[in-house]
Amino acid sequence: MFFPGVPLDLLRQAQALYPVFHHELVVTAYGLAAKAHANQLRKNGDTLLSHCVEVAKTLAGMGLDAETVAAGLLHECLGSDVYRSQLEEFMPPAVVSVLDRVNTISEMSRLYRQYSSSGSFTEETYRRMLVAMEDVKAVLVVLADRIHNMRTVRALPITRQEALARETLEVYSVVANRLGVWCLKAELEDLAFSVLHPEEYTWLKNAVRSRQDPVALEATINAIKGALHSEGVAYEDISGRPKNLYGIYSKLKADGKPLTPESLDSVYDLMALRIVVASKHECYTALRAVQSVYRTMKERSKDFIRDIKKPNGYQSLHETVLGAGDVPVEVQIRTHKMHYIAEYGFAAHWKYKEKLDSEDEWLEKETQYKRWLTQYKLGVHDKKVRPLGSPPTDGSLKSLGVAYLDAPEDEQGNLLDPFLRHQRFKLQAPVKTEVSVLLATSDSIETKEFPLGTTAQHLWRELGLGLQPGFALTVNNRLPSGEAALQSGDLVQVLPLATVLTRSPQDRLGSPGWSLAAVAEDWEQENMLSPAASASGGGGFPGDVLEVYSKNGMTSYTMSPQTGSSSVPLAKI
């Protein structure tokens, strides 16, 4: 209704796959994106709109809500012809907030590429800032964007391909792993692997094809499900996954083994499945059920519950069976409490995989909470293989009452398992006394912690910028209002005033609700102050005509070059 003439073929294709694309908010976001990116092409010849739709489809496929999918459609818009006033008119504040965070992450990515070679902005610093982001939805949008960028990376020069692949492997796949989004982590790793080691990637892809049959894995899961039913074991979750190619490559490399068929025969978890049950007794009943269906490889059997005590508290039964088609499958069996410790506690898989050298209490608590937000509050689909008709998410912790973790303690009653009330295992939003921001100045870039409630005005005084004329402080690429409190994950930059003044108004203004008239007045005043901006013709608005779509119809504005006169540069047609 508001965007006549936009092409609908991409929207209809998405609607055929995911119901969320029928949501009014998502349809409106599609219209905005279509207008913003009309006639814009990517390096590979595809339309920029198609890229935005692919990002949104990735988010929809993960089961995310309409607001997140809408943000995926609009993630390129803040730097295009759709101005903030339009986004704020058509989109709820939550969507605009996600887009602001996406924009911030894009700028952090640029700074990372600029400073990483000097060691002043390390991959771990970048990873920590992404985990610190207050809105995890923005991080998921960025991960989905990186997925599609890596799928189409071949259109770029090889040096650029390799740089993006390294950043993907060093930062984005690690963050996806910390958030527990296995499907994104696996694809990001494999896409980067295909660029950085194309020969090894191609060899492995062909070599494992016959050993990672998804049909055989599903048949194995269903056979074990039947055996569990016969034994009277009510499992809480059963799921399987093929090991991703980069994971196989890393395992062989760590073991000092070459890429050969013989070496590949020594990797027994090319396919794996996990069974989660309610009690320790049922772990062993489930194990007998598994052994009754398939031949086992006894030398691979491990009991991490009774026989082998892991110092980090990890507990599980491991059994390798020759599943459907005689393909080896590693089976893990554990209780929901063991599973909780392995996913969120001190035995968390992400810590084991990253081999962290020292205890990092902040990172552990922040990651634990963000994993819970991602998997249980947002309900992200993990894309693992499950029996037909099973929910697309890991529901093995529901019986512990994780849904009631946010409720006040006096209202939880018996809804929350005492296990989760124990201080050792308690899952809650980290109590913050500080905010962690990325501070970039002309000579350094570093993470800084400031007391909770610190405002831009406080920071201005602390940095002594009042004594340095010619500099401005921006928060997330915008001039902040002085009383706005900083948030963890904010990007704070100290920039020359001339640099800030040459930015377009929509990138500079920090307060909501601004109008086109205010933009015109503000832009005029700045050009009177900035001869460089006047000489360059303003540079704030792309093109000669700006079409502004609103719920009351369409209005066009002409862009006049800045000459230093007092005329308003935006003239309504």
Side-chain angles (χ1 to χ4, degrees):
M1 180 174 18
F2 304 127
F3 311 103
V6 301
L8 297 177
D9 52 334
L10 292 173
L11 176 62
R12 288 172 178 150
Q13 291 167 18
Q15 288 176 335
L17 294 172
Y18 305 106
V20 71
F21 279 90
H22 289 278
H23 195 288
E24 181 182 359
L25 182 67
V26 176
V27 173
T28 303
Y30 176 86
L32 277 170
K35 280 296 181 183
H37 306 312
N39 303 318
Q40 292 182 353
L41 299 178
R42 305 184 82 217
K43 293 276 188 184
N44 64 354
D46 293 341
T47 64
L48 185 55
L49 177 62
S50 69
H51 162 71
C52 296
V53 171
E54 289 301 319
V55 171
K57 283 163 64 176
T58 295
L59 297 166
M62 292 161 59
L64 289 162
D65 60 16
E67 286 185 351
T68 313
V69 175
L73 284 167
L74 296 168
H75 76 279
E76 297 276 5
C77 278
L78 283 181
S80 75
D81 291 355
V82 171
Y83 291 106
R84 191 175 196 85
S85 58
Q86 293 174 263
L87 292 175
E88 290 177 347
E89 179 170 6
F90 285 103
M91 292 290 112
V95 173
V96 179
S97 176
V98 171
L99 293 174
D100 278 335
R101 286 289 170 184
V102 170
N103 223 25
T104 298
I105 296 171
S106 296
E107 178 65 9
M108 285 185 181
S109 175
R110 185 191 69 77
L111 292 171
Y112 173 71
R113 290 192 293 272
Q114 181 179 345
Y115 290 104
S116 59
S117 59
S118 66
S120 56
F121 190 5
T122 67
E123 62 267 24
E124 180 54 24
T125 298
Y126 189 13
R127 293 191 292 244
R128 288 171 71 90
M129 294 314 300
L130 291 178
V131 171
M133 284 280 168
E134 295 291 342
D135 195 337
V136 73
K137 289 182 179 181
V139 180
L140 294 175
V141 171
V142 169
L143 293 178
D145 174 63
R146 180 51 62 103
I147 286 276
H148 191 251
N149 284 337
M150 288 303 299
R151 287 174 185 167
T152 56
V153 76
R154 305 296 178 184
L156 300 177
I158 186 63
T159 54
R160 180 73 175 129
Q161 291 182 39
E162 291 174 347
L164 283 172
R166 282 192 293 271
E167 184 185 37
T168 298
L169 208 53
E170 293 167 355
V171 178
Y172 294 105
S173 68
V174 177
V175 170
N177 189 47
R178 289 181 182 180
L179 295 180
V181 191
W182 175 82
C183 56
L184 295 185
K185 174 255 186 190
E187 185 171 1
L188 286 166
E189 285 185 342
D190 285 355
L191 288 167
F193 178 36
S194 69
V195 171
L196 296 174
H197 304 283
E199 293 181 5
E200 292 88 341
Y201 171 85
T202 302
W203 185 89
L204 259 182
K205 185 177 180 180
N206 293 328
V208 303
R209 186 170 288 133
S210 62
R211 307 174 192 227
Q212 289 188 322
D213 183 357
V215 176
L217 179 57
E218 187 172 359
T220 302
I221 291 173
N222 286 325
I224 290 176
K225 173 186 173 183
L228 292 172
H229 180 73
S230 298
E231 291 285 343
V233 177
Y235 64 84
E236 301 207 3
D237 188 63
I238 179 170
S239 63
R241 59 99 185 117
K243 194 175 187 72
N244 69 310
L245 297 178
Y246 184 72
I248 300 168
Y249 172 76
S250 299
K251 185 179 181 67
L252 291 175
K253 190 175 179 182
D255 292 341
K257 295 179 179 179
L259 284 181
T260 63
E262 294 73 26
S263 296
L264 206 55
D265 288 338
S266 67
V267 182
Y268 296 102
D269 64 341
L270 292 178
M271 293 201 297
L273 66 88
R274 179 180 297 138
I275 305 167
V276 182
V277 294
S279 68
K280 189 181 295 186
H281 170 75
E282 287 185 322
C283 285
Y284 291 93
T285 307
L287 178 62
R288 289 193 295 272
V290 171
Q291 293 169 339
S292 71
V293 181
Y294 293 114
R295 289 182 297 129
T296 64
M297 302 176 69
K298 292 184 178 180
E299 70 279 7
R300 298 273 310 158
S301 299
K302 293 178 182 177
D303 184 340
F304 291 108
I305 299 176
R306 292 176 180 167
D307 297 342
I308 306 172
K309 303 293 185 180
K310 300 277 279 186
N312 64 355
Y314 175 82
Q315 290 184 303
S316 188
L317 299 177
H318 290 199
E319 185 73 276
T320 302
V321 303
L322 296 173
D326 270 351
V327 176
V329 179
E330 182 181 89
V331 180
Q332 297 178 359
I333 305 170
R334 58 177 68 149
T335 69
H336 47 14
K337 293 177 183 178
M338 296 173 189
H339 186 52
Y340 177 90
I341 292 171
E343 291 294 309
Y344 300 96
F346 32 73
H349 187 257
W350 70 269
K351 290 190 285 184
Y352 165 75
K353 292 297 287 185
E354 292 186 37
K355 297 180 174 61
L356 296 182
D357 296 331
S358 60
E359 293 292 323
D360 190 331
E361 186 176 352
W362 177 88
L363 182 61
E364 289 186 15
K365 287 184 177 179
E366 199 70 26
T367 301
Q368 178 194 51
Y369 186 65
K370 293 296 171 58
R371 283 172 76 89
W372 174 66
L373 280 180
T374 303
Q375 296 179 44
Y376 282 89
K377 294 285 282 186
L378 299 181
V380 168
H381 299 177
D382 56 24
K383 299 294 185 72
K384 291 183 178 176
V385 179
R386 287 186 165 84
L388 186 65
S390 296
T393 58
D394 179 356
S396 59
L397 301 183
K398 284 183 180 177
S399 59
L400 293 177
V402 292
Y404 304 99
L405 282 166
D406 276 345
E409 288 193 18
D410 58 342
E411 296 179 13
Q412 289 173 356
N414 296 323
L415 299 173
L416 192 67
D417 193 289
F419 171 79
L420 290 180
R421 288 201 185 94
H422 193 289
Q423 196 59 39
R424 195 179 187 190
F425 306 114
K426 201 169 187 178
L427 182 58
Q428 59 188 2
V431 178
K432 295 182 179 180
T433 59
E434 295 179 323
V435 291
S436 180
V437 304
L438 186 65
L439 177 62
T441 64
S442 58
D443 55 1
S444 70
I445 183 166
E446 58 184 328
T447 54
K448 295 280 286 184
E449 281 69 44
F450 297 102
L452 194 66
T454 297
T455 65
Q457 196 170 34
H458 291 150
L459 190 55
W460 175 271
R461 288 198 298 266
E462 183 172 326
L463 295 174
L465 292 177
L467 303 176
Q468 300 182 44
F471 286 91
L473 184 146
T474 65
V475 178
N476 301 328
N477 296 320
R478 309 181 79 201
L479 289 173
S481 57
E483 64 276 7
L486 299 175
Q487 289 186 306
S488 286
D490 279 347
L491 170 62
V492 180
Q493 292 173 283
V494 178
L495 298 170
L497 188 59
T499 300
V500 177
L501 295 183
T502 54
R503 289 181 174 179
S504 58
Q506 68 271 19
D507 289 335
R508 290 184 284 103
L509 296 175
S511 57
W514 53 275
S515 65
L516 282 170
V519 170
E521 181 179 355
D522 181 77
W523 191 232
E524 157 120 345
Q525 290 174 352
E526 286 193 4
N527 277 281
M528 290 173 66
L529 292 171
S530 173
S534 297
S536 66
F541 296 96
D544 296 321
V545 177
L546 169 64
E547 291 182 331
V548 178
Y549 288 79
S550 71
K551 293 180 180 179
N552 297 320
M554 188 269 283
T555 305
S556 295
Y557 292 83
T558 57
M559 308 302 124
S560 65
Q562 306 306 305
T563 62
S565 68
S566 60
S567 62
V568 176
L570 287 177
K572 188 171 181 179
I573 297 176

